Amino acid sequence: MDMKPNSPPETNRSLPIALLRAREKVMGPIRAMLNDVGVTEQQWRVLRVLNERGTLDPTEIAERSCLLLPSLTRILQTLEGKVLISRAPHPTDRRKQLVTITGSGRQLIVDNLQESQRLNQWLRDSFGAAKLDELLDLLNELDALERDSGR
Amino acid sequence: MDMKPNSPPETNRSLPIALLRAREKVMGPIRAMLNDVGVTEQQWRVLRVLNERGTLDPTEIAERSCLLLPSLTRILQTLEGKVLISRAPHPTDRRKQLVTITGSGRQLIVDNLQESQRLNQWLRDSFGAAKLDELLDLLNELDALERDSGR
DNA sequence: CCCATCTACTTAACATGTTAATCACAATTG
DNA sequence: CAATTGTGATTAACATGTTAAGTAGATGGG
C-alpha cells in the first residue's frame, strides 16, 4: 500500500477523460464517413431518430438524440434547408411542431447505414462482443444512477 | 433466435450515445461547480494538466487534456488573459512555446479540488468502486485498441 | 547554402455546446 | 374571464469542436 495521501486520479483514471477518449475512438471513423456526405454527427443522430420513431416534436427529438434544445433548433433549421426533414405545426398545440424525415432524408440514411453497421461490426469484432455488451451495461447503469445528484 | 435481420441497434445500445449520456451524468455537477468560478470544463482540464505535469508545450497539453490544437490555441489565449497561465518562448525551437500555470491558476485549483474530489467520491460510492474500476478498464482498453482503424 | 518538406502553432469558417433571456401559447387559479 | 404560472421553442452571446488553410521556423538532402 504505497499510495500517496490525497493522490488525485491520473488523467487516465479520470472518468470524464476516459469517456471522452473512448468516444473519439468510436466516432472518428463515423465522423469521417458522414463528413463525405456533408452531414454532421448530430444531424445524423437526428435523422436516425426520426427514421426510427417517425414524426416527433423537437423536445422528444432532443431527448432521444441527446441534444439541447438550442442546438436542436439550429440543426433543424439546417436540415430543413437541406430538405432532409420537414416541419408542420401541431394541430392542437400551437407552441409545438411536428418534424418528419423526408424521402431525401431516408435515402441519405439508406446510403450510409450499411457502412455505419460495418463500422459497428468491426468494433464488435475488435473489442469483443462480450466486453462491448458489458461496457454498454455499465454505461447504462451509470446513466440510470443519480436521479438526485450529489449537489 | 427471433432476431430481425439487419436490425439496427437501438439508441440505448448505441455506444456513442451511451458514452455521451454517461459523460453528461458525470460532468453535469462538475460543470456547475466550475461555472460558479468562471472557468469552463476545458479550461479546468488544461489547468489541471499544467498543475500536475509542470511546464508543457501546447502540443503535449492538447494530447493530455484531450483537446485539438485549434481549440487549445483559443483556450490558452483566454487563460493568459485571466492570468491563470503564462507563456514563454522555447529557448531553442522558436516554433514552440512553454506554458506554465501561474500562482492564481494554482490557487483556483486548490480552491476547487476538494469539491471536485468530493464529487468523484460520491460517484464511487453511488456507482460502486468495483464497477467504476471495471468501467475505466474497459474504456482504456477501448482507447488502446484500433491503432489502425477500420477504414 | 538552397530547396523541399516537415513541424508547431495559428487563423478562418462554420457547426455545436452551454447558459440565460425571450416570446408565444397553454394551463391554472382566483 | 383575467392574472398568474408553466411549457415549447427560439434567440443571444460566448466558448468549444471540427476541418481546412496559412505561417513561421526547423530539418534533411543535394
Side-chain angles (χ1 to χ4, degrees), chain A residues 6-27 29-30 32-33 36 41 45 48-49 52-53 63-66 113 115 117-120 122-123 126-127 131-151, chain B residues 6-27 29-30 32-33 36 41 45 48-49 52-53 63-66 113 115 117-120 122-123 126-127 131-151:
Chain A
N6 283 336
S7 73
E10 278 300 316
T11 12
N12 301 330
R13 296 311 279 180
S14 159
L15 187 53
I17 297 275
L19 290 167
L20 206 51
R21 286 197 218 273
R23 186 155 204 285
E24 269 316 293
K25 286 286 175 188
V26 179
M27 281 309 300
I30 299 181
M33 172 189 84
D36 296 341
E41 166 197 338
R45 285 212 301 273
R48 290 197 58 170
V49 166
E52 288 175 10
R53 319 278 313 185
E63 284 174 14
R64 293 194 179 279
S65 60
C66 212
L113 194 55
E115 173 70 0
Q117 289 174 340
R118 194 183 68 75
L119 291 172
N120 272 334
W122 171 81
L123 177 67
S126 303
F127 191 56
K131 286 203 291 190
L132 181 56
D133 285 335
E134 194 182 342
L135 177 55
L136 281 167
D137 287 341
L138 283 169
L139 291 172
N140 284 328
E141 264 188 84
L142 178 57
D143 180 51
L145 202 63
E146 39 192 317
R147 291 311 177 199
D148 42 308
S149 170
R151 191 186 164 74
Chain B
N6 283 338
S7 72
E10 279 299 315
T11 12
N12 300 332
R13 296 311 278 181
S14 159
L15 186 54
I17 298 275
L19 290 167
L20 206 50
R21 286 198 217 274
R23 185 156 204 286
E24 268 317 293
K25 285 288 175 188
V26 179
M27 280 310 300
I30 299 180
M33 172 190 83
D36 296 341
E41 165 197 339
R45 285 212 301 273
R48 289 196 58 170
V49 166
E52 287 176 10
R53 318 279 312 187
E63 284 173 14
R64 293 195 179 279
S65 60
C66 212
L113 194 55
E115 174 71 0
Q117 289 175 339
R118 196 183 67 74
L119 291 171
N120 273 334
W122 171 82
L123 176 67
S126 303
F127 191 54
K131 285 202 291 190
L132 181 56
D133 286 334
E134 194 181 344
L135 177 55
L136 281 168
D137 287 341
L138 284 169
L139 291 173
N140 285 327
E141 265 189 85
L142 178 57
D143 180 50
L145 204 60
E146 41 191 317
R147 290 312 177 197
D148 41 307
S149 169
R151 190 183 164 78

Side-chain angles (χ1 to χ4, degrees), chain B:
Chain B
M1 333 299 199
D2 54 359
M3 41 179 305
K4 289 170 289 187
N6 283 338
S7 72
E10 279 299 315
T11 12
N12 300 332
R13 296 311 278 181
S14 159
L15 186 54
I17 298 275
L19 290 167
L20 206 50
R21 286 198 217 274
R23 185 156 204 286
E24 268 317 293
K25 285 288 175 188
V26 179
M27 280 310 300
I30 299 180
R31 229 198 310 276
M33 172 190 83
L34 295 177
N35 193 30
D36 296 341
V37 193
V39 298
T40 67
E41 165 197 339
Q42 293 85 350
Q43 293 167 9
W44 174 251
R45 285 212 301 273
V46 170
L47 290 177
R48 289 196 58 170
V49 166
L50 287 174
N51 191 50
E52 287 176 10
R53 318 279 312 187
T55 298
L56 295 176
D57 57 279
T59 298
E60 190 168 358
I61 298 175
E63 284 173 14
R64 293 195 179 279
S65 60
C66 212
L67 292 166
L68 296 178
L69 269 174
S71 296
L72 183 60
T73 293
R74 292 173 303 206
I75 292 171
L76 291 180
Q77 288 165 350
T78 302
L79 291 177
E80 194 175 27
K82 294 179 180 177
V83 199
L84 297 175
I85 64 163
S86 65
R87 289 195 273 188
H90 190 282
T92 66
D93 191 334
R94 286 194 296 177
R95 293 170 304 180
K96 296 187 182 176
Q97 38 182 282
L98 295 177
V99 184
T100 308
I101 190 171
T102 64
S104 313
R106 257 188 291 272
Q107 187 58 49
L108 188 150
I109 290 188
V110 169
D111 291 343
N112 293 277
L113 194 55
Q114 190 177 357
E115 174 71 0
S116 167
Q117 289 175 339
R118 196 183 67 74
L119 291 171
N120 273 334
Q121 189 58 47
W122 171 82
L123 176 67
R124 253 193 131 61
D125 294 342
S126 303
F127 191 54
K131 285 202 291 190
L132 181 56
D133 286 334
E134 194 181 344
L135 177 55
L136 281 168
D137 287 341
L138 284 169
L139 291 173
N140 285 327
E141 265 189 85
L142 178 57
D143 180 50
L145 204 60
E146 41 191 317
R147 290 312 177 197
D148 41 307
S149 169
R151 190 183 164 78

Side-chain angles (χ1 to χ4, degrees), chain A residues 46-57 61 98-101 106:
Chain A
V46 170
L47 290 177
R48 290 197 58 170
V49 166
L50 287 173
N51 191 52
E52 288 175 10
R53 319 278 313 185
T55 297
L56 295 176
D57 58 277
I61 298 175
L98 295 176
V99 184
T100 308
I101 191 171
R106 257 187 292 272

